[in-house]
Amino acid sequence: MTILVTGGAGFIGSNFVLDWLATSSEPVVTLDALTYAGNLNNLKSLEGDARHSFVRGSIGDTALVGRLLRSHDVRAVINFAAESHVDRSISGPAPFFETNVMGTLGLLEAVRGYFAQRSDFRFLHVSTDEVYGTLERDEPAFAETNPYRPNSPYAASKASSDHLVRAYRETYGLPVLVTNCSNNYGPLQFPEKLIPLMIHNALAGKALPVYGDGLQVRDWLYVGDHCSALRRVLEAGSLGETYNVGGNNQKTNIEVVRALCTLLDRKRPKADGTSYAGQITHVTDRPGHDRRYAIDARKIERELGWSPAEAFESGLEKTVDWYLANEDWVADVTSGAYREWVARQYG
Ligand code: NAD
Ligand code: DAU
């Protein structure tokens, strides 16, 4: 048996593939278009491992996906492939709809032509808490029953893909599972997202750009915990169900940035003895910025016995350690097109 992981050269997808092959003997085919966010170096440690094969291509290529499903006798697809960065969706929404909506449609079409061949087949769609919109400070956390109220083009495109997955279940009987999780952090995250961006900028002596007042709240999920949740949902989730996955770690952005500065002050003190916190700069807020996300993860705990294992403090320290030990990886991905994006976004 084999699983097909789409978007497996990106942040969460590559963590998932590495984690899967470290804990299971079941082969993996990774399909990834290798956009700016996809990086084959993430999977370098698998070179020569006969259990892993990589195919460059798009989830929207129904014929290609159909061939992969048949030739590898795939028993599950885990769909990570997406455009994933909110700020990029604000400055250019179209690719988000091409990949997250039309790409998912192409992928579902391939699965529709295949799934009847295997009675144990599963399609696991990895989605986000952003589809639920934003919360006031005292509102209860997002449950699976919350209405969809996406506020950014990224969130709208992910919401659309979730609806497509649901429709394929209702209309064609596809054996689907959906997860909606909170902000992931950990090794191999592209340094456009808050935590790796702040580590990268701090070490480079650059400003740490906090949007608005920095009091927006996110729930932080260590990527290893996300991988274990996905394995569990794939193994035991009920078909057609959605599971919210969270880290039980609600923090304001400014708290996160200050915690990173404190860790870096200890692990890589600045030559002049000052704190990295001196580099914090409040910049113009993100348009339509969601104020707070929080996940009610009681369903996955109650029904599947999963809960996150990593505390925020230890997860953040592991993450900082990884970035300090892998500066070559960061240098490699922060070349070329990335620099143009940073220049446009932050001026
Ligand atoms: P990422 O941007 O790091 O990686 C996305 C990967 O998808 C890249 O390797 C890219 O090359 C690939 N890709 C893009 N378009 C493709 C296409 N048409 N066909 C095949 N591959 C394509 O994203 P991530 O942070 O790893 O997120 C993975 C998934 O998890 C996404 O669906 C995202 O919406 C979801 N998610 C992410 C987070 C988070 O905090 N990062 C939280 C909740 C949900
Ligand atoms: O909640 C899940 C989502 O988390 C995923 O679906 C997305 O794919 C993922 O990118 C992430 O979205 P966010 O917008 O929450 O993540 P980001 O890292 O871009 O930003 C986190 C918070 O930090 C957010 O409130 C914006 C703020 N921020 C971000 C950047 C890049 C800053 O203040 N400054 C910055 O430079």
Side-chain angles (χ1 to χ4, degrees):
M1 291 194 292
T2 298
I3 61 165
L4 174 65
V5 176
T6 67
F11 163 48
I12 308 173
S14 62
N15 273 284
F16 181 84
V17 171
L18 296 171
D19 189 67
W20 183 272
L21 290 171
T23 52
S24 150
S25 55
E26 189 175 2
V28 176
V29 178
T30 298
L31 173 67
D32 198 295
L34 296 182
T35 67
Y36 79 94
N39 182 355
L40 272 183
N41 281 337
N42 296 358
L43 302 170
K44 210 176 172 57
S45 61
L46 298 176
E47 271 171 18
D49 188 330
R51 297 171 305 160
H52 182 246
S53 44
F54 178 82
V55 177
R56 185 176 189 179
S58 173
I59 52 168
D61 186 341
T62 304
L64 169 67
V65 177
R67 280 198 301 279
L68 291 176
L69 292 172
R70 283 182 184 80
S71 61
H72 292 272
D73 192 20
V74 168
R75 66 116 180 154
V77 173
I78 299 95
N79 181 30
F80 295 96
E83 288 294 334
S84 69
H85 191 38
V86 173
D87 292 325
R88 287 183 191 256
S89 83
I90 293 168
S91 52
F96 286 73
F97 292 85
E98 281 152 21
T99 294
N100 301 357
V101 184
M102 295 311 292
T104 303
L105 179 66
L107 181 62
L108 285 166
E109 274 297 285
V111 169
R112 180 159 82 92
Y114 170 78
F115 77 98
Q117 294 181 21
R118 289 201 67 117
S119 56
D120 59 347
F121 187 81
R122 297 284 181 275
F123 180 85
L124 171 49
H125 181 64
V126 180
S127 191
T128 171
D129 58 3
E130 302 206 9
V131 298
Y132 299 121
T134 186
L135 294 167
E136 298 297 330
R137 194 204 307 227
D138 299 322
E139 265 187 286
F142 299 129
E144 290 81 358
T145 47
N146 273 48
Y148 273 31
R149 291 203 175 99
N151 290 322
S152 70
Y154 162 72
S157 69
K158 290 295 290 185
S160 308
S161 70
D162 293 7
H163 289 321
L164 275 174
V165 172
R166 178 190 158 81
Y168 269 63
R169 165 82 186 152
E170 295 301 317
T171 307
Y172 306 114
L174 248 66
V176 306
L177 298 154
V178 177
T179 54
N180 294 81
C181 74
S182 55
N183 287 59
N184 283 223
Y185 69 107
L188 300 168
Q189 187 168 32
F190 196 86
E192 63 187 354
K193 306 283 166 57
L194 182 73
I195 289 177
L197 178 89
M198 292 297 165
I199 298 171
H200 175 61
N201 279 15
L203 297 175
K206 293 181 184 163
L208 307 181
V210 172
Y211 296 162
D213 60 11
L215 297 178
Q216 305 83 3
V217 173
R218 296 292 182 267
D219 168 53
W220 292 96
L221 172 66
Y222 191 66
V223 67
D225 276 334
H226 188 194
C227 292
S228 73
L230 293 172
R231 283 204 313 270
R232 186 69 191 134
V233 170
L234 192 58
E235 176 182 62
S238 297
L239 292 185
E241 289 296 313
T242 289
Y243 297 92
N244 282 357
V245 184
N248 288 336
N249 286 311
Q250 289 182 54
K251 305 279 175 205
T252 62
N253 292 338
I254 193 73
E255 278 179 289
V256 172
V257 176
R258 288 195 182 284
L260 285 170
C261 291
T262 304
L263 280 167
L264 288 171
D265 286 342
R266 178 151 60 81
K267 289 172 183 283
R268 183 71 67 81
K270 285 172 76 168
D272 64 4
T274 61
S275 169
Y276 289 101
Q279 291 166 228
I280 295 174
T281 314
H282 288 266
V283 299
T284 309
D285 209 349
R286 174 186 276 176
H289 198 170
D290 287 335
R291 195 66 180 165
R292 175 174 162 246
Y293 303 144
I295 282 275
D296 176 346
R298 282 177 296 180
K299 177 175 171 181
I300 189 171
E301 180 164 16
R302 189 176 61 243
E303 296 186 8
L304 304 182
W306 178 90
S307 57
E310 195 74 54
F312 185 66
E313 292 67 27
S314 56
L316 203 64
E317 183 159 2
K318 279 188 199 170
T319 305
V320 167
D321 287 343
W322 188 87
Y323 279 92
L324 289 177
N326 290 278
E327 289 180 81
D328 288 354
W329 181 92
V330 178
D332 195 51
V333 298
T334 53
S335 58
Y338 175 76
R339 277 205 289 272
E340 285 163 31
W341 155 253
V342 170
R344 274 204 313 278
Q345 172 69 3
Y346 299 100

